[in-house]
Amino acid sequence: MTVTSRRFLVTWSVALVAILATVVAVNTVVDPYDRFGWQRISGINLLKPAVKNHSALTKAYQVERARPVTAVLGTSRAYLGIDAGSPAWPRSFNPVYNYGLPGTTMGRSLLRELWQAWGTGRLRHVVAILDFPAFFAPDPPVGDDEDQRRLMFLDSGAPNNGRQAQRLDDAFLSTFSLAALADSVTTILSQGGGDRVLNLRVDGTSTEADFLAAARAEGMNAVFAQKDEFNLSRIPGFQRLLADWQEPMPNMDIIQEMIKFCRDHDVTLMLILAASHVDELEIYRRAGLWPRVEQIKVDLAAIVAEADSDTVTVWDFVEYAPYTTEKLPPAGDIVTSSRWFWEPVHFKRALGEVMLRRVFAGTPDDFGARLTPATVEARNQFVRDQQRRFIGWHLACELKVQEKCAPPPDASAEASR
């Protein structure tokens, strides 16, 4: 090998090491996925927009560092709508960690979140945010994946003794990869974006930047209409599955397993059937599925009663209340925002606050109710009465894009049933 060749190889090697060192240094300082939990520095990494596509990774490590007394479990509804730092939490419940994960189904995800939170060592309270359509079809098994492999427990409930390999892989990809470098650069460049930048606080609470951007670009009416179309697309499948369904509603076994785990480990469990906007409620009512919504409430009340424990409760916010029937801005209005919902499924943190105050402080007393076998039938009748009044007071066209909406056929006859 010639002297020139050796010099080239040395220069190339030194440059490669320097580049790699730079990548590692930048990724380590910025920590774009909050994998390590280093100090957040204003102007550099205070906001963490890159966690949007890595929330399962981020939250698995955040919850271990947080070691919460209370964990909020659920899907994107909990992720977006519940503030772990809310003053509504009783003092004895703090610290609270929001373990809601976007892009997941209820299924085993709730159990994964529960076991991981409990494994941190001081969990005493769990608040599970439930979505009523999640009980319309059985969730498929989650299966083996990297999200499971980094957790303290496997989906079987057994300790995950092999998790160290996945955790080392997470650390490597968070520091040495070019993808992480790109996310680090994006993180740095996003620091001046204010409320337009997605962020995940150390307590697991997410900002609502994505919905805020969509509302500013398209208007609230368009955002609602898009979600309505998605909900409508699911109706035929639900109708076919539930046509002859004679058992407790799908996925109730997941709730039973959660209850058993919490009772066995001296953890209180509060189940909250979260509020939906009337757009979603009306889609299911008109599809003939409202009796199944009522059955969900009956089943939940029965399961909680079977636990025979005052440490397990269930609350219902699926109703036609002023919060859930708010009128939307007209089509084309990209300035006016709704107060309580981003779209029919995802409630704003303002409504999350109302629900938390209701279950912990008892106010407002005209929204939401605790379900028990003794009260659930009256509760279902109460909501039916709300439906009748709503149909009389509002046509669906007042809440939707004019050309896409139509009042339910023979609404007066439906209301009299």
Side-chain angles (χ1 to χ4, degrees):
M1 182 179 294
T2 65
V3 173
T4 301
S5 297
R6 284 198 297 271
R7 286 177 178 172
F8 173 79
L9 287 175
V10 169
T11 301
W12 185 85
S13 299
V14 169
L16 182 62
V17 170
I19 292 172
L20 183 60
T22 301
V23 170
V24 172
V26 171
N27 288 340
T28 299
V29 171
V30 176
D31 191 17
Y33 313 130
D34 208 22
R35 162 64 181 84
F36 305 104
W38 312 135
Q39 180 178 357
R40 298 192 183 195
I41 304 170
S42 179
I44 297 177
N45 67 347
L46 181 64
L47 307 178
K48 300 280 187 178
V51 302
K52 174 181 179 180
N53 298 318
H54 302 274
S55 56
L57 180 153
T58 298
K59 289 203 167 190
Y61 296 108
Q62 277 192 342
V63 72
E64 292 182 18
R65 296 191 293 267
R67 298 189 66 237
V69 169
T70 302
V72 179
L73 312 182
T75 60
S76 55
R77 286 182 156 218
Y79 178 83
L80 286 167
I82 300 297
D83 189 346
S86 166
W89 294 106
R91 183 176 300 178
S92 62
F93 277 57
N94 290 314
V96 178
Y97 183 78
N98 183 332
Y99 207 161
L101 287 174
T104 60
T105 57
M106 192 177 70
R108 306 291 302 183
S109 296
L110 284 178
L111 290 170
R112 283 185 176 185
E113 296 164 14
L114 172 59
W115 294 336
Q116 181 74 356
W118 178 80
T120 62
R122 56 177 182 174
L123 188 70
R124 292 294 174 267
H125 310 285
V126 166
V127 176
I129 307 300
L130 307 179
D131 178 6
F132 74 83
F135 293 99
F136 282 166
D139 278 346
V142 178
D144 181 55
D145 56 23
E146 65 180 24
D147 291 338
Q148 175 191 210
R149 291 194 293 271
R150 70 171 59 93
L151 301 179
M152 298 182 198
F153 297 91
L154 300 172
D155 285 347
S156 64
N160 182 11
N161 297 322
R163 68 191 179 113
Q164 194 59 34
Q166 180 63 49
R167 295 166 76 87
L168 289 173
D169 189 45
D170 290 341
F172 178 83
L173 293 176
S174 297
T175 51
F176 285 86
S177 71
L178 291 178
L181 179 63
D183 285 332
S184 291
V185 172
T186 298
T187 298
I188 295 171
L189 295 177
S190 299
Q191 293 305 298
D195 64 356
R196 291 177 172 83
V197 177
L198 184 72
N199 185 39
L200 192 69
R201 297 193 325 229
V202 295
D203 64 6
T205 303
S206 172
T207 58
E208 302 166 305
D210 282 355
F211 275 117
L212 184 61
R216 286 170 172 169
E218 305 175 52
M220 296 300 303
N221 201 295
V223 175
F224 269 72
Q226 291 167 13
K227 194 65 175 186
D228 285 343
E229 290 179 5
F230 170 76
N231 282 333
L232 284 166
S233 72
R234 300 202 296 171
I235 291 297
F238 291 153
Q239 289 173 325
R240 286 192 298 271
L241 177 72
L242 297 173
D244 299 313
W245 192 270
Q246 301 296 326
E247 307 170 26
M249 292 295 285
N251 298 324
M252 285 295 167
D253 57 324
I254 300 294
I255 303 301
Q256 290 174 312
E257 194 167 349
M258 291 177 64
I259 290 174
K260 183 179 186 308
F261 183 91
C262 288
R263 290 204 62 196
D264 290 347
H265 296 88
D266 195 25
V267 174
T268 70
L269 174 61
M270 180 179 293
L271 304 168
I272 295 180
L273 201 57
S276 293
H277 189 267
V278 70
D279 267 25
E280 181 174 47
L281 303 184
E282 283 293 280
I283 284 173
Y284 288 98
R285 182 187 67 81
R286 292 184 213 167
L289 291 171
W290 196 259
R292 296 300 188 178
V293 176
E294 295 184 345
Q295 185 183 345
I296 291 168
K297 301 179 185 184
V298 171
D299 290 347
L300 287 172
I303 288 172
V304 169
E306 288 171 6
D308 192 25
S309 173
D310 57 5
T311 63
V312 182
T313 55
V314 57
W315 284 79
D316 170 37
F317 290 92
V318 179
E319 61 173 275
Y320 289 66
Y323 301 99
T324 63
T325 58
E326 65 173 326
K327 187 175 180 179
L328 303 183
D333 184 345
I334 62 172
V335 176
T336 308
S337 181
S338 57
R339 182 178 182 183
W340 303 113
F341 285 87
W342 287 112
E343 37 92 312
V345 172
H346 292 95
F347 54 86
K348 293 186 176 183
R349 284 220 297 263
L351 188 55
E353 288 291 298
V354 173
M355 289 189 282
L356 290 178
R357 290 200 309 269
R358 175 68 173 111
V359 298
F360 289 118
T363 57
D365 60 6
D366 59 349
F367 181 50
R370 184 171 170 180
L371 296 179
T372 70
T375 64
V376 68
E377 290 300 338
R379 172 64 175 171
N380 281 337
Q381 182 61 54
F382 174 80
V383 177
R384 278 182 231 129
D385 292 340
Q386 287 182 320
Q387 283 180 335
R388 294 188 180 101
R389 289 193 295 270
F390 173 80
I391 294 168
W393 294 338
H394 303 278
L395 292 176
C397 289
E398 294 177 13
L399 299 174
K400 295 186 178 181
V401 180
Q402 182 68 31
E403 58 270 20
K404 288 188 176 181
C405 69
D410 195 11
S412 62
E414 286 192 358
S416 67
R417 291 175 190 167

